Amino acid sequence: KFIGALDIGTTTLRCMIFNRSLEICGLASEQVQLIYPKVGYIEIEPNQFWASVVNVIKNALDSAKISAAELECLGITTQRSTFITWHRETGQYFHNFIVWNDLRAKELVKKWNENFLLKSFQGVAKFLYLITRNKRFLAGSVMKFMNSQVTVRLAWMIRNNDDLRKAIQNKSALFGTIDTWLLHKFQQGLNNGNKKSIDHITDVTNASATGLYDPFQLNWAEWSFSLYGLTADMMPRVVENSHDFGVVDKSIFGSEIKIGCSIADQSASIWGSCCFNKGDVKVTLGTGTFMNLNTGKMCHASVYGLYPLVAWRVFNRETNSSEVVYCVEGQSSDTGSLIRWGIDFGLFSDPSCSSDMAYSVDDTEEIFFIPAFSGFGAPLNDAKAATGVIGIRPTTTKSHIVRALLESIAYRVAQLYICTLEETDFKFSIIRVDGGVSKNDFVCQLLANLTGLVVERTENSELSVLGTAFLAGLNVGIFKSRQELVEKRIVERVFHPQPENIERVKDKFLRWQNAVERFMDWYDES
């Protein structure tokens, strides 16, 4: 018997087949075909995307030399905040998927963040926090709209799509992130005329990243729907990650497959990293950087722009009760995209060469790289920042620039780490890293020196897939406890802080922050 795990990333679809020992028996991947209809617009065409999802699962089964009937379950993990809307009766899409890093609503973001109504809301929330000390109001007092949230992009779509707007008025529109849409498609099967009843649902980890969900109250923030032009009837029901998600219809792969779990990518990575305890922290270095701190049963309110999320909500068989665990997240949108740019720009031909290039020079000769293709998130929170290189000299080589680029990735993680130190009373000793860029030794060692913490890298760098497979297996009874995953976790390399380099590294980090200020607020509103 085997477990399948489907991972829907921003640029890549992956499916891995695991045995009960969580060894990989088969795998397949495909590129996500992103569409760029205008500058700043990023979309995915649903029909082509569905064909790729089906194909990648079939190829993974072929790679493992098994049939769908031999899968005990399939776990699903997806990128967050990419959404679509469709007609309740006909299933017709009103538009393509709008990807999480799409910038079409940036003017609306600016307008709403400067709106008197928001400033009044922040003021009232701050007043209520001072009276009640309820952290929900503290979160409201620093609330800002962001492009990466569903909220403003969905509001933009409603304003600019007549068919969608009319369908909402007629109560015939449905909204969903990728998990909602996939669960619907899997249960519907290949017969689009299939009229069987299918629950319109989303899992709590995907819901909490939309900006439409209140993690403190664990429900949709319906009080805000009128602001965005939404109605409650179009929203999916929010369920636990251990919910009974039904089965994949047998018309797709020849046999029914039990859907073992649905979970957002960063939450899946938390599971894959075994960050089960309060105070555990992991950093995913993928297309972007995501630092997640397990805050236990406490939903954290941040003043620096860190985002409170539901890390998972499951039925815990060990305690025989429902369990809700929270995390706080800091994000940097440009990580793997910087490596991709380095290849396209001709700095190196293979990402694996970049670490050796960085180590081939002793320093950057005071060159600093500013990584802001998508602006800056917390704690800088500047959508108008520019990317650039400062300090180039006649003696500058590609290796100096590559070292500066890799340093900037670690510097952004260090900024997020400093935020967690200032906002929490947790004591840290280890950072667990995963994602493609975590394979870079230079970045991992610099991160250890910047934070003064041990950095652990596991043998399997794709921990979101591993975490999904384990949770699916746990939900269907293949595994009995989380300790089984902990025991199977293999650390490939540990990076220790180097005392002789820490002061020099921190001094340079301060110099980099000074350089960043020169690139802040660079672009005008056009």
Side-chain angles (χ1 to χ4, degrees):
K1 294 291 186 177
F2 299 87
I3 305 167
L6 176 66
D7 177 18
I8 309 295
T10 305
T11 58
T12 307
L13 300 173
R14 295 183 186 86
C15 184
M16 293 186 183
I17 309 298
F18 296 84
N19 61 21
R20 284 183 170 227
S21 297
L22 291 177
E23 298 165 331
I24 299 173
C25 302
L27 59 91
S29 65
E30 284 195 18
Q31 291 298 112
V32 176
Q33 300 300 311
L34 297 173
I35 303 169
Y36 304 90
K38 293 182 181 180
V39 175
Y41 287 39
I42 310 176
E43 302 178 359
I44 302 172
E45 199 283 316
N47 294 322
Q48 189 279 327
F49 180 65
W50 171 242
S52 293
V53 169
V54 172
N55 192 53
V56 80
I57 295 175
K58 286 182 176 179
N59 288 343
L61 291 170
D62 290 343
S63 173
K65 296 181 173 56
I66 65 170
S67 67
E70 294 175 85
L71 280 183
E72 288 194 73
C73 61
L74 175 71
I76 302 169
T77 183
T78 64
Q79 58 177 280
R80 303 166 303 178
S81 297
T82 293
F83 71 88
I84 193 169
T85 59
W86 65 95
H87 195 281
R88 185 186 300 272
E89 300 298 330
T90 67
Q92 183 67 38
Y93 310 123
F94 293 112
H95 52 82
N96 289 335
F97 282 102
I98 308 303
V99 182
W100 66 271
N101 51 354
D102 180 283
L103 298 176
R104 72 187 64 205
K106 65 179 182 179
E107 293 303 320
L108 199 55
V109 169
K110 177 179 180 295
K111 179 180 177 181
W112 282 7
N113 279 333
E114 295 177 350
N115 189 281
F116 175 75
L117 182 62
L118 176 63
K119 295 185 183 301
S120 299
F121 174 84
Q122 291 170 333
V124 171
K126 185 174 183 179
F127 175 74
L128 291 173
Y129 171 69
L130 292 173
I131 294 175
T132 66
R133 292 296 168 179
N134 186 320
K135 290 189 176 182
R136 183 185 179 209
F137 296 126
L138 176 60
S141 72
V142 294
M143 173 185 166
K144 288 184 69 174
F145 293 102
M146 298 183 292
N147 283 299
S148 60
Q149 294 173 334
V150 167
T151 45
V152 188
R153 284 179 289 126
L154 180 55
W156 185 98
M157 188 56 67
I158 293 170
R159 294 182 178 198
N160 289 275
N161 188 312
D162 292 339
D163 291 338
L164 172 57
R165 191 165 57 253
K166 291 175 184 176
I168 292 174
Q169 293 169 354
N170 296 332
K171 298 188 181 301
S172 57
L174 292 176
F175 159 85
T177 44
I178 288 182
D179 64 303
T180 299
W181 181 83
L182 271 180
L183 290 167
H184 181 92
K185 294 289 286 185
F186 277 139
Q187 294 180 76
Q188 181 186 59
L190 297 181
N191 180 12
N192 289 328
N194 190 343
K195 296 297 183 181
K196 67 181 179 182
S197 177
I198 299 173
D199 282 344
H200 184 51
I201 57 177
T202 186
D203 81 79
V204 66
T205 58
N206 274 289
S208 71
T210 62
L212 296 165
Y213 188 82
D214 185 343
F216 293 89
Q217 299 294 308
L218 294 173
N219 54 32
W220 292 117
E222 293 190 22
W223 59 268
S224 69
F225 283 4
S226 60
L227 174 64
Y228 311 122
L230 308 179
T231 54
D233 60 275
M234 68 186 291
M235 305 302 291
R237 179 166 60 93
V238 181
V239 300
E240 296 184 352
N241 301 107
S242 56
H243 178 74
D244 182 358
F245 292 98
V247 298
V248 177
D249 191 84
K250 66 180 180 180
S251 64
I252 303 176
F253 302 111
S255 299
E256 289 186 347
I257 305 172
K258 172 67 179 174
I259 302 174
C261 74
S262 175
I263 187 169
D265 53 3
Q266 297 311 312
S267 291
S269 177
I270 292 173
W271 274 75
S273 301
C274 296
C275 290
F276 296 131
N277 300 313
K278 183 177 179 180
D280 286 348
V281 61
K282 70 87 186 168
V283 174
T284 297
L285 299 165
T287 302
T289 290
F290 297 89
M291 188 190 73
N292 295 88
L293 167 65
N294 183 328
T295 59
K297 297 180 181 180
M298 177 187 71
C299 190
H300 177 77
S302 170
V303 296
Y304 287 106
L306 301 178
Y307 204 69
L309 296 167
V310 178
W312 67 81
R313 186 174 189 178
V314 298
F315 181 79
N316 189 329
R317 287 182 172 82
E318 296 175 62
T319 61
N320 199 35
S321 62
S322 181
E323 173 189 71
V324 182
V325 173
Y326 294 93
C327 69
V328 63
E329 179 174 282
Q331 173 187 345
S332 174
S333 296
D334 296 309
T335 305
S337 54
L338 293 176
I339 304 298
R340 181 74 255 174
W341 175 83
I343 294 172
D344 294 341
F345 195 71
L347 292 177
F348 42 83
S349 58
D350 187 331
S352 63
C353 300
S354 61
S355 182
D356 289 340
M357 289 181 70
Y359 276 125
S360 71
V361 291
D362 293 331
D363 207 314
T364 64
E365 293 188 344
E366 287 296 291
I367 292 172
F368 295 102
F369 190 95
I370 314 303
F373 288 131
S374 304
F376 280 126
L380 302 172
N381 300 312
D382 182 5
K384 295 189 291 182
T387 296
V389 182
I390 191 169
I392 291 178
R393 304 180 183 189
T395 56
T396 297
T397 66
K398 282 186 179 180
S399 294
H400 292 113
I401 297 175
V402 169
R403 184 174 177 122
L405 184 151
L406 296 181
E407 285 180 348
S408 73
I409 293 173
Y411 290 156
R412 283 292 290 129
V413 179
Q415 286 185 315
L416 297 173
Y417 172 68
I418 291 169
C419 287
T420 64
L421 288 179
E422 294 183 357
E423 290 198 347
T424 70
D425 57 0
F426 296 126
K427 303 298 182 184
F428 307 105
S429 59
I430 295 174
I431 293 178
R432 297 167 181 172
V433 297
D434 69 295
V437 181
S438 71
K439 297 175 183 177
N440 191 292
D441 290 352
F442 179 85
V443 172
C444 291
Q445 184 58 63
L446 181 56
L447 183 57
N449 289 341
L450 283 165
T451 60
L453 302 178
V454 170
V455 173
E456 282 187 355
R457 182 174 67 200
T458 55
E459 203 169 70
N460 182 352
S461 63
E462 302 300 336
L463 294 185
S464 58
V465 189
L466 178 64
T468 302
F470 182 79
L471 179 58
L474 188 66
N475 287 343
V476 302
I478 296 173
F479 306 115
K480 303 305 178 186
S481 73
R482 295 168 197 177
Q483 186 60 31
E484 292 181 63
L485 180 59
V486 174
E487 291 171 357
K488 289 178 172 63
R489 182 172 178 267
I490 301 174
V491 176
E492 180 258 329
R493 184 167 176 184
V494 177
F495 298 85
H496 294 275
Q498 299 167 325
E500 69 275 15
N501 292 327
I502 288 178
E503 286 306 313
R504 178 179 60 83
V505 164
K506 289 186 176 180
D507 287 344
K508 192 171 183 187
F509 176 43
L510 292 175
R511 289 274 292 140
W512 176 81
Q513 292 182 87
N514 291 335
V516 165
E517 293 179 4
R518 299 175 180 237
F519 292 81
M520 300 279 284
D521 199 30
W522 181 267
Y523 293 110
D524 60 28
E525 298 308 324
S526 61

